[in-house]
Amino acid sequence: MIEPARLAMFDVVRARHPGDLDGRLRVSERVAKSDRVYSYQLQNRALWSATFEKPIFTLATRAAGSIVASYADSSFATDVSIDGDEGELFCITTMLLGHMTLVQKGNSTTATDGRGLVWRPGPSSRLLMSDNNARTNVFFKVADVEDALEHMLDERLRQPLEFGSNLDWGSGLAASLKRQLDFVMHEFQRQDGVASNPVALASLTDLLISLVLRGAPHNYVDRLDGGASGVVPAYIRRAEDFMRANGAEPIRMSQVAAAAGCSVRTLSHVFKHFRGNTLLGVLHSIRLELVRDDLVLGASGASVTTVARRYGFTNSSRFATAFRRRFGETPSQAARRSSRSSR
């Protein structure tokens, strides 16, 4: 159902016979060891012995950093059972076509074009897929999401993080999360996109995890509404020094908070109060400054594109727009100033 050319960067499995669907499909083992077994069975028994000229099932996966993105489509209604160990990944499912019902712990939730799923694949889970079904999945490590939540709360979790399955794409931060998930799938299709740039990917991962925790229902959501305390301006200097020193490296917000000596939650409030910006916004500005410094100094002799990618800017047009808005000149003009001063 998706153009094959768009899956060039993915590992693709296709099936033309119902018997090819059964067995172990290890979607997530690139980032977490697992003994989970995914068993697929067409709901229409009359099709079990049929063979089809075209694929009736496609699964395409790509892993980058701590994210796994997958695309799947099914021509016929399919019942998927999951057994094995407790999953070490959270999965966010977005429907492109048809609908899918998740059954876990006696509860069922249906994903449609207006509603997604956030869930943890594990034992005794079932997925009931409609005919002509297409969907995307974006997986995150449970450990990464829980670590981010601990930093937001500034305390250790007393019980595991558990999400309510239903995601309403129509409002609030869930709508923002949906747009970012669409962006992830688009970028993972590209050879030179965010997925191939560790610096940009680390920032995107932090943004996605933050949106998941702020936009999806879970058992700690009420705790995230509290205010910050202990605001100390020195945190800003230490955080900004760390970001400048490591601007060309993949940076997670938990690392910035550790360098500043406080939690991500506290640091976010400090920056909002004293800088009027988010942590990711400040990191973006600092990286723009580092690009400009490299271009003006011209010590490496590298092209504008090379310098920009070094600091995580993979989209040339968006980078140029942001650079000009920030400094009142284009990246090329900054590089030319370096060339003239060296004569």
Side-chain angles (χ1 to χ4, degrees):
M1 298 178 189
I2 194 171
E3 298 175 14
R6 294 169 61 185
L7 300 179
M9 300 305 300
F10 289 72
D11 292 330
V12 182
V13 176
R14 294 184 174 90
R16 290 179 171 82
H17 187 279
D20 296 335
L21 299 176
D22 203 12
R24 296 171 182 264
L25 284 178
R26 297 182 175 275
V27 175
S28 59
E29 281 63 24
R30 298 171 184 276
V31 293
K33 293 182 179 180
S34 171
D35 289 320
R36 285 188 302 284
V37 179
Y38 291 68
S39 298
Y40 292 70
Q41 190 172 74
L42 299 186
Q43 294 179 22
N44 186 345
R45 297 174 63 94
L47 299 174
W48 287 6
S49 60
T51 300
F52 300 88
E53 182 179 346
K54 294 181 179 180
I56 60 172
F57 175 81
T58 300
L59 175 66
T61 61
R62 182 181 181 186
S66 60
I67 295 177
V68 173
S70 76
Y71 166 85
D73 67 39
S74 312
S75 298
F76 303 108
T78 306
D79 186 343
V80 183
S81 61
I82 305 174
D83 288 304
D85 63 1
E86 183 69 27
E88 293 303 319
L89 299 172
F90 288 122
C91 176
I92 303 177
T93 300
T94 301
M95 300 306 300
L96 303 177
L97 192 65
H99 61 270
M100 182 179 78
T101 298
L102 167 69
V103 182
Q104 277 187 324
K105 299 179 180 179
N107 299 314
S108 63
T109 309
T110 298
T112 62
D113 60 347
R115 293 184 178 275
L117 294 174
V118 54
W119 58 294
R120 186 172 180 174
S124 302
S125 300
R126 288 183 67 200
L127 299 172
L128 304 175
M129 303 172 188
S130 67
D131 289 318
N132 297 320
N133 188 293
R135 58 212 174 269
T136 65
N137 299 292
V138 177
F139 297 85
F140 302 95
K141 289 182 180 179
V142 170
D144 285 352
V145 181
E146 290 188 335
D147 182 64
L149 178 58
E150 287 184 342
H151 281 286
M152 287 180 176
L153 296 173
D154 200 13
E155 63 181 60
R156 301 285 294 178
L157 300 186
R158 297 182 180 180
Q159 57 184 347
L161 172 63
E162 294 184 1
F163 284 98
S165 302
N166 185 57
L167 276 171
D168 182 358
W169 296 134
S171 61
L173 289 180
S176 302
L177 173 61
K178 172 63 164 56
R179 286 190 287 271
Q180 293 302 321
L181 293 171
D182 292 342
F183 174 75
V184 167
M185 296 306 300
H186 175 75
E187 287 296 303
F188 272 54
Q189 293 171 16
R190 299 175 54 207
Q191 182 176 5
D192 57 351
V194 168
S196 63
N197 189 295
V199 176
L201 185 62
S203 293
L204 177 61
T205 302
D206 276 328
L207 173 60
L208 288 165
I209 290 176
S210 178
L211 287 173
V212 170
L213 290 171
R214 294 288 185 179
H218 56 78
N219 55 332
Y220 284 92
V221 71
D222 292 338
R223 300 281 303 279
L224 292 177
D225 294 333
S229 60
V231 176
V232 180
Y235 293 153
I236 293 177
R237 175 180 52 79
R238 292 196 290 265
E240 291 178 338
D241 286 347
F242 176 84
M243 287 188 282
R244 287 193 182 92
N246 298 276
E249 301 296 329
I251 296 177
R252 303 294 296 273
M253 292 302 101
S254 57
Q255 295 173 306
V256 179
C262 64
S263 69
V264 173
R265 184 189 189 198
T266 296
L267 195 60
S268 297
H269 282 279
V270 171
F271 270 91
K272 193 68 176 177
H273 181 72
F274 287 94
R275 291 289 189 259
N277 203 348
T278 64
L279 270 171
L280 286 173
V282 172
L283 178 58
H284 181 271
S285 295
I286 286 175
R287 282 176 167 155
L288 282 175
E289 293 172 2
L290 292 171
V291 171
R292 183 194 59 174
D293 291 345
D294 276 13
L295 292 176
V296 171
L297 291 174
S300 65
S303 67
V304 170
T305 299
T306 299
V307 174
R309 286 188 64 84
R310 182 182 304 151
Y311 294 101
F313 298 100
T314 59
N315 187 295
S316 299
S317 60
R318 282 202 291 266
F319 160 69
T321 299
F323 190 97
R324 184 165 189 169
R325 185 185 301 118
R326 181 78 168 81
F327 303 115
E329 64 178 349
T330 67
S332 297
Q333 288 171 332
R336 283 197 293 270
R337 283 198 291 114
S338 168
S339 177
R340 288 195 298 268
S341 64
S342 63
R343 292 175 184 173

